[in-house]
Amino acid sequence: MDTSFQQITVDPTLAEMGKNLNEAMRILEDGHREREEDKEKRRHSRKDIPGPLQGSGQDVAHILQLVQNLMHGNEDEDLQSHRRMQNVGEQGHMALLGHSLAAYISVLDKERLRKLTTRILSDTTLWLCRLFRYENGSAYYHEDDREGLLKVCRLVIHSRFDDYSTEGFNMLYSKQPVIYQSAACRSGLGQHLCNQLGLPLSSLCTVPCNTMFGSQHQMDVALLDRLIKDNVDSGKLPLLLIANAGTPAAGHTDKLGRLKELCAQYSMWLHVEGVNLATLALPYVKSSVMAATQCDSMTLTLGPWLGLPAVPAVTLYRHEDPSLSLAAGLNSSQPVEKLRALPLWLSLQYLGHDGIVERIRHASQLSQRLLDHLTKQTSITTAVEDDLNSPVVVFRFSQTDANSAQSGGPLETLPSNEREIQDTLNRWLGEQLALLVPASGVDIVNLEDEGSCVRFSPLMTAAVLGTKDEDVDMLAERLQEKIPVLISTLRLREEFREEVHCIAALTYIEDLSWPGLGTVRYELSSEEPDENKRQAELEKISSMLLKKLKELDSDLTFSTGPEFGPEKNCLYIGMATEDLDVAELVEMIAAIGREIEENSRLLENMTEVVRKGILEAELQLQKATEEKLMEEGVLRQLPVVGSVLNWFSPVQSSVKGRTFNLAAGSVDSTEPTYSMKAQSTGETPPPTPTSARTKHRLPGQKLFRRSLASSDCVSETSSVGQVEELEKEELREPAPEGREADVQKEPEPETEQRGVTPGDGEQKGKREPEVEGRETENPSILR
């Protein structure tokens, strides 16, 4: 692009501008390719901290580097938004070049500037009116997509109130103007118009949608007719009606033909906006959308439709009086304001008519492709306007079969709790699909009748994200993978609640906003009068329990839940699969909680136990010293006399020590250790509490999974053999004495060689003689 641009350009300034723009875009787009060490240096640098303006100034390279750091500095913290960042292609470069050219053209002399802006404005308006079938229209270009409607409202006020330009708001006292909008319009639009026009909120009338017949996202025309008659009878003036060709949430189109007839009857202005207006550029257009070509004005958002960055929105309108348009702000005598159309003028020429139509057709085909996939999915209901052709696809997970369910009908009969649970699961589904297939551009919408749904609107996202047919197929595959998980989780939630109610140590927490199996809290077994101390101990045990559960080899996810949730010290369990053993999971949570609580209690009492043990040991050692003094006599304790007496008459004194058993909390003698009887006289520590349902697992089988003969991790023949072996091992499992039964099966001759009778109960199954022999031969081992 740079070489060809320089070859055909006469003005060297324009060539330099295009070259600098390409170089700047290359630097900014290559920000993610910097080396890791450069990222580390930038992370610890102070360039992002605001500072004083340098007096000597900086060159372009340093300024672009600063912009690059600000753009890509938080990639690690906001990966999701970076993934969905728009890829600026060649057509995007043309739009950005338009902003640079607008600044350059604005310095031309007035006559040349007037001719150039008039040509740019007239060409762009003509192209858009022909492209979207809007004959004899004028265009207003604006940055805020609400500004065009605001200017149109001013135009209608000037048209309906003759002396408004001189009398101002005094003219509105006699007849209060009324603006009508659908309940499905984007939120805040009517309030914004009233605030900017200086009208009271009583001038805004919201028309409900259909409740009995037709789409529940379309304006109720019969009710609108009654509202207009009531306002006329009360002395008000119906001014303007805002209709939708594609509602912001569900993408449904109002009955524009009947609305146009109603507006003509009451001399009202009809304004239409919505994403479905993009399909006017296609060769074949639905009649419901084609009726928008007869409206008084419409707003087009070409930026997201065509993937063009920083291009203005366009409001096409029809009006015969240029002076009123100038008074309303739709026309401007300033040539610089007409340069707003320059980026769009360049981009439309770059894409051409065929390129524009192809982008819109591709987005429409993506919607139809996904809709075909959804018709084959079970437990999925759609809320589309037309099953054969709908630019916006809205769907949700539901227990009702999608083939037999009507759009939104069965959901009204669901209980409130179940409806809220399904909304929570649908929000989780939308988040997962957006994360797994970011190029699809799906998001979550909340509809009044259907609840939380997943929306796919390629007309608004496909050109920006570069969505392809493969992305739609992958989206359908990921959806198919998530449906069994949603069904299993919804089915096991009640079982999980019942199992938790059976365990005294656990409390079930009802949290309908958590997309998972459920929420539990471990309750302390000991009664603590101090509430602060109890909460601190409960928080400590809950955090340790969460850590232990995360270390287990399972497919479940455990977390502390939302950061600002109403419940504290709770354990949130994520989505579950069909083969989950809920009873084993609940008992394992309770067992680990008891273990942590007992260990915590043991550590708390350790200080007192150690202190008492030290005092007892000191008393016993003092008593042993007194006994030694009585046994050896006083003379042996003197320094010189004792040495001589010990040389003539040595005394065989036994070494007596003490050991402190932390598990038993007692002070024991070390005599069994020195007499090599530690193995027979030592006490075994108490067993670690575990779940009563702990069972053998097949190789590759995760925790909390039911054993299935047709498991995916092993073949059928190997799984059957392993199950049989596990059953035999369970039959051979010992009684409470540990491994005693297995040791009894040692060969008889071996015990006879060692001189141990079969009836010797204390030494049965142990190899004490051999051990003692080795210890006698190597006394240094003891030392």
Side-chain angles (χ1 to χ4, degrees):
M1 174 181 172
D2 188 15
T3 305
S4 60
F5 184 80
Q6 292 184 8
Q7 290 177 354
I8 64 175
T9 301
V10 178
D11 193 343
T13 306
L14 295 179
E16 185 68 19
M17 184 185 305
K19 179 180 178 181
N20 293 338
L21 177 64
N22 290 333
E23 182 66 19
M25 293 303 302
R26 184 189 63 80
I27 294 176
L28 296 178
E29 291 179 350
D30 292 345
H32 60 280
R33 302 177 184 176
E34 58 182 342
R35 297 177 300 175
E36 293 295 332
E37 53 267 22
D38 296 336
K39 289 184 178 181
E40 188 68 21
K41 293 179 180 178
R42 179 166 51 83
R43 187 179 293 110
H44 298 287
S45 65
R46 298 176 59 87
K47 294 182 179 180
D48 294 340
I49 301 177
L53 183 63
Q54 298 184 6
S56 58
Q58 301 184 32
D59 54 11
V60 178
H62 284 83
I63 298 176
L64 291 178
Q65 185 66 34
L66 175 61
V67 175
Q68 173 189 335
N69 295 342
L70 296 176
M71 290 172 56
H72 304 283
N74 296 327
E75 287 181 356
D76 298 336
E77 302 175 3
D78 195 5
L79 295 178
Q80 180 66 20
S81 62
H82 179 258
R83 272 197 297 267
R84 298 190 59 169
M85 181 178 178
Q86 179 174 352
N87 296 321
V88 182
E90 289 291 333
Q91 74 279 359
H93 287 186
M94 294 300 298
L96 300 178
L97 179 61
H99 291 274
S100 301
L101 286 176
Y104 173 70
I105 294 175
S106 62
V107 300
L108 298 177
D109 58 88
K110 293 183 179 181
E111 184 62 23
R112 296 177 61 184
L113 179 60
R114 184 187 61 81
K115 293 181 180 180
L116 182 58
T117 53
T118 303
R119 171 66 184 274
I120 293 173
L121 192 63
S122 59
D123 285 351
T124 309
T125 303
L126 177 63
W127 297 338
L128 291 177
C129 289
R130 289 182 177 179
L131 186 64
F132 293 98
R133 307 170 187 263
Y134 198 80
E135 299 179 358
N136 301 323
S138 303
Y140 173 66
Y141 303 89
H142 46 93
E143 302 297 334
D144 189 353
D145 55 0
R146 301 172 300 180
E147 186 178 355
L149 178 57
L150 177 63
K151 301 293 185 180
V152 167
C153 290
R154 295 185 187 276
L155 173 64
V156 180
I157 291 176
H158 279 278
S159 301
R160 299 299 300 273
F161 297 93
D162 297 334
D163 297 331
Y164 180 77
S165 58
T166 56
E167 298 294 333
F169 290 101
N170 293 326
M171 296 298 300
L172 305 180
Y173 291 152
S174 58
K175 284 189 176 183
Q176 181 181 354
V178 181
I179 299 175
Y180 300 87
Q181 67 170 3
S182 171
C185 282
R186 43 181 170 163
S187 60
L189 178 61
Q191 291 80 355
H192 174 75
L193 295 178
C194 292
N195 292 335
Q196 296 298 319
L197 295 173
L199 299 177
L201 291 180
S202 58
S203 296
L204 179 64
C205 180
T206 301
V207 183
C209 296
N210 295 326
T211 56
M212 298 296 295
F213 305 100
S215 170
Q216 297 180 354
H217 302 279
Q218 291 179 346
M219 186 186 305
D220 192 339
V221 181
L223 182 57
L224 173 64
D225 191 8
R226 291 197 299 267
L227 292 175
I228 295 176
K229 290 180 179 179
D230 293 341
N231 290 329
V232 171
D233 294 340
S234 61
K236 296 182 180 180
L237 178 65
L239 188 68
L240 180 139
L241 172 63
I242 305 173
N244 291 295
T247 55
H252 290 205
T253 302
D254 292 326
K255 299 176 182 179
L256 300 179
R258 294 184 58 188
L259 293 179
K260 179 58 180 176
E261 296 175 358
L262 196 62
C263 290
Q265 178 181 353
Y266 292 99
S267 301
M268 294 173 56
W269 185 283
L270 178 60
H271 178 82
V272 181
E273 59 181 18
V275 66
N276 293 348
L277 292 176
T279 59
L280 290 173
L282 299 178
Y284 302 99
V285 187
K286 294 194 302 182
S287 59
S288 59
V289 181
M290 182 64 73
T293 59
Q294 303 301 321
C295 66
D296 298 300
S297 62
M298 65 170 65
T299 298
L300 310 175
T301 55
L302 298 172
W305 295 353
L306 305 178
L308 302 176
V311 297
V314 184
T315 295
L316 302 179
Y317 64 97
R318 295 190 185 98
H319 199 265
E320 299 177 356
D321 193 346
S323 61
L324 294 181
S325 301
L326 182 62
L330 291 171
N331 288 337
S332 176
S333 59
Q334 299 295 328
V336 178
E337 295 186 8
K338 297 180 181 180
L339 289 176
R340 293 178 181 174
L342 181 58
L344 196 56
W345 182 73
L346 295 175
S347 301
L348 293 178
Q349 293 185 84
Y350 181 83
L351 291 174
H353 182 275
D354 295 339
I356 296 172
V357 173
E358 179 59 30
R359 286 175 179 257
I360 298 176
R361 179 188 293 112
H362 174 67
S364 301
Q365 292 174 352
L366 291 178
S367 298
Q368 187 61 39
R369 190 181 189 90
L370 179 61
L371 197 57
D372 294 339
H373 284 294
L374 294 179
T375 55
K376 305 174 185 178
Q377 302 276 9
T378 58
S379 302
I380 293 294
T381 58
T382 58
V384 295
E385 181 180 12
D386 186 1
D387 294 337
L388 301 178
N389 186 9
S390 179
V392 180
V393 179
V394 178
F395 61 93
R396 66 178 271 119
F397 164 75
S398 176
Q399 287 182 312
T400 308
D401 190 1
N403 296 326
S404 60
Q406 298 296 329
S407 175
L411 297 179
E412 298 177 357
T413 61
L414 292 176
S416 58
N417 288 351
E418 187 174 352
R419 168 72 178 273
E420 189 172 352
I421 291 174
Q422 290 197 13
D423 288 345
T424 301
L425 295 179
N426 278 282
R427 286 192 294 269
W428 176 85
L429 177 62
E431 293 173 357
Q432 290 295 313
L433 293 178
L435 183 64
L436 296 174
V437 193
S440 64
V442 294
D443 58 354
I444 305 170
V445 293
N446 293 318
L447 304 181
E448 182 177 357
D449 297 318
E450 289 81 357
S452 297
C453 300
V454 183
R455 178 179 59 185
F456 177 65
S457 181
L459 280 173
M460 297 296 294
T461 60
V464 175
L465 302 177
T467 309
K468 301 179 181 178
D469 294 342
E470 294 78 8
D471 299 322
V472 176
D473 296 338
M474 183 180 297
L475 179 65
E477 294 176 2
R478 297 296 177 264
L479 177 61
Q480 182 66 29
E481 295 174 359
K482 297 299 179 182
I483 289 177
V485 179
L486 292 169
I487 296 176
S488 302
T489 303
L490 192 60
R491 181 178 59 85
L492 294 175
R493 283 178 70 102
E494 186 62 28
E495 181 181 353
F496 178 76
R497 179 208 298 264
E498 296 176 356
E499 291 291 341
V500 171
H501 286 326
C502 296
I503 304 297
L506 299 178
T507 301
Y508 183 81
I509 305 299
E510 185 73 27
D511 190 354
L512 301 179
S513 63
W514 172 250
L517 191 62
T519 307
V520 296
R521 179 170 55 219
Y522 180 81
E523 300 294 344
L524 299 178
S525 58
S526 60
E527 295 293 336
E528 178 63 43
D530 190 358
E531 184 64 23
N532 295 332
K533 186 177 180 181
R534 176 182 175 83
Q535 290 297 329
E537 183 179 359
L538 182 60
E539 181 178 0
K540 179 181 178 182
I541 294 178
S542 299
S543 61
M544 295 180 65
L545 176 60
L546 176 62
K547 181 179 179 182
K548 289 284 187 181
L549 291 174
K550 286 184 176 180
E551 294 174 355
L552 296 178
D553 185 17
S554 68
D555 295 331
L556 292 174
T557 57
F558 303 94
S559 65
T560 56
E563 183 178 359
F564 301 102
E567 299 291 341
K568 301 297 182 183
N569 303 324
C570 294
L571 179 66
Y572 289 78
I573 305 174
M575 306 296 289
T577 54
E578 184 180 3
D579 57 345
L580 176 66
D581 193 339
V582 178
E584 181 186 0
L585 169 63
V586 174
E587 291 188 8
M588 179 66 75
I589 294 175
I592 296 178
R594 285 193 300 267
E595 178 184 357
I596 295 174
E597 184 180 4
E598 292 175 0
N599 293 339
S600 177
R601 193 179 305 159
L602 178 62
L603 291 177
E604 291 178 358
N605 299 332
M606 188 65 66
T607 304
E608 185 67 19
V609 173
V610 171
R611 187 182 65 83
K612 292 181 179 180
I614 292 175
L615 294 177
E616 184 179 355
E618 290 179 351
L619 294 176
Q620 292 187 12
L621 290 177
Q622 184 179 0
K623 182 179 179 181
T625 303
E626 294 177 355
E627 292 177 355
K628 180 180 178 182
L629 180 61
M630 297 297 295
E631 179 183 355
E632 297 179 357
V634 180
L635 294 178
R636 292 183 181 274
Q637 309 304 321
L638 298 177
V640 180
V641 179
S643 300
V644 176
L645 187 59
N646 289 334
W647 183 77
F648 282 105
S649 177
V651 177
Q652 296 293 336
S653 61
S654 60
V655 179
K656 297 181 180 181
R658 296 292 184 270
T659 61
F660 183 54
N661 192 341
L662 293 178
S666 61
V667 179
D668 302 329
S669 175
T670 58
E671 184 176 356
T673 303
Y674 288 98
S675 61
M676 291 165 292
K677 297 296 183 180
Q679 298 181 2
S680 59
T681 60
E683 297 181 359
T684 58
T688 302
T690 56
S691 174
R693 296 179 57 92
T694 302
K695 56 186 180 181
H696 295 284
R697 288 183 294 157
L698 297 176
Q701 182 182 358
K702 300 288 186 179
L703 277 175
F704 317 126
R705 292 288 178 263
R706 297 189 180 95
S707 298
L708 300 175
S710 59
S711 177
D712 296 336
C713 59
V714 292
S715 63
E716 294 183 1
T717 56
S718 62
S719 62
V720 173
Q722 290 167 352
V723 170
E724 292 177 355
E725 292 180 1
L726 291 176
E727 291 177 354
K728 293 179 181 179
E729 290 181 3
E730 292 177 356
L731 293 176
R732 294 197 303 265
E733 277 189 352
E737 266 120 49
R739 296 178 47 102
E740 188 173 349
D742 294 338
V743 181
Q744 287 180 359
K745 297 180 180 180
E746 293 184 0
E748 296 266 344
E750 191 173 355
T751 58
E752 292 177 0
Q753 292 176 4
R754 292 180 174 82
V756 180
T757 61
D760 192 355
E762 293 181 358
Q763 301 296 334
K764 183 192 302 183
K766 298 187 179 180
R767 306 169 67 128
E768 290 296 338
E770 185 178 349
V771 174
E772 291 181 1
R774 286 200 299 268
E775 291 178 350
T776 307
E777 293 174 3
N778 300 293
S780 60
I781 296 178
L782 293 176
R783 290 194 294 268

